[in-house]
Structures are given as structure tokens and as C-alpha cells.
Amino acid sequence: LPERHAVKAIVPFAERRLRQVLDVLESALTGRQYLVEDRFGAADIMVGYILMWFADECATRPALHGYVERLAQRPAYLRARND
């Protein structure tokens, strides 16, 4: 957003909510490779896409960090990045 349209008051709320969501995902992925039935699927594509925007925040959470790294090594992801 352009600075003149930014609503700075929402930033603390949004950061808090992001941390809550990342904590839930960290818990859900602890001891698992993927989100649903421990198999790669549509949920991983949708969630992984968003998590790639927050790589720094995921880096401090071991399960999320590993998850993002696994997704980034998938052949289709590598092909898409190289195109």
C-alpha cells in the first residue's frame, strides 16, 4: 500500500495474528511431513505459498522451517522458479 493509505494501527494486531497462525501450523506439522494425512496435497500448495512470504518468521520454528524447505525442493516448485 502507498504510505498515505496504510493503517498503522492494525500492524500490531496483524503481527499477533500471524504469530498465532504460525504457532498453530508449527504444532500441526511437528512430527509430520505434510498437512493432510502426511501426504503432499492441495492444502500444502495453498499454505506453503503463503508461508514462502514469511520465511524469516518460519525460520525460528523448526517444523515450519523444515516444511518450507521440503516444499521448496519439490520438482514442480523448482521448475516453476526456473521458468
Side-chain angles (χ1 to χ4, degrees):
L1 278 177
E3 189 65 29
R4 70 181 189 278
H5 295 295
V7 180
K8 294 183 186 346
I10 200 168
V11 171
F13 168 79
E15 289 174 340
R16 206 168 39 253
R17 292 296 296 187
L18 173 63
R19 284 191 303 274
Q20 289 172 338
V21 168
L22 294 177
D23 289 344
V24 168
L25 288 170
E26 174 72 13
S27 178
L29 285 163
T30 297
R32 302 180 66 149
Q33 297 291 305
Y34 298 106
L35 287 168
V36 180
E37 296 181 7
D38 216 15
R39 294 185 318 191
F40 179 76
D44 300 298
I45 294 168
M46 292 183 282
V47 171
Y49 174 74
I50 300 300
L51 290 178
M52 301 270 177
W53 295 351
F54 299 101
D56 290 343
E57 290 84 355
C58 291
T60 61
R61 294 169 170 84
L64 275 179
H65 178 72
Y67 178 68
V68 170
E69 290 293 312
R70 277 190 300 286
L71 295 178
Q73 295 305 312
R74 293 193 56 83
Y77 179 83
L78 293 171
R79 282 193 307 273
R81 278 200 65 158
N82 291 328
D83 284 343

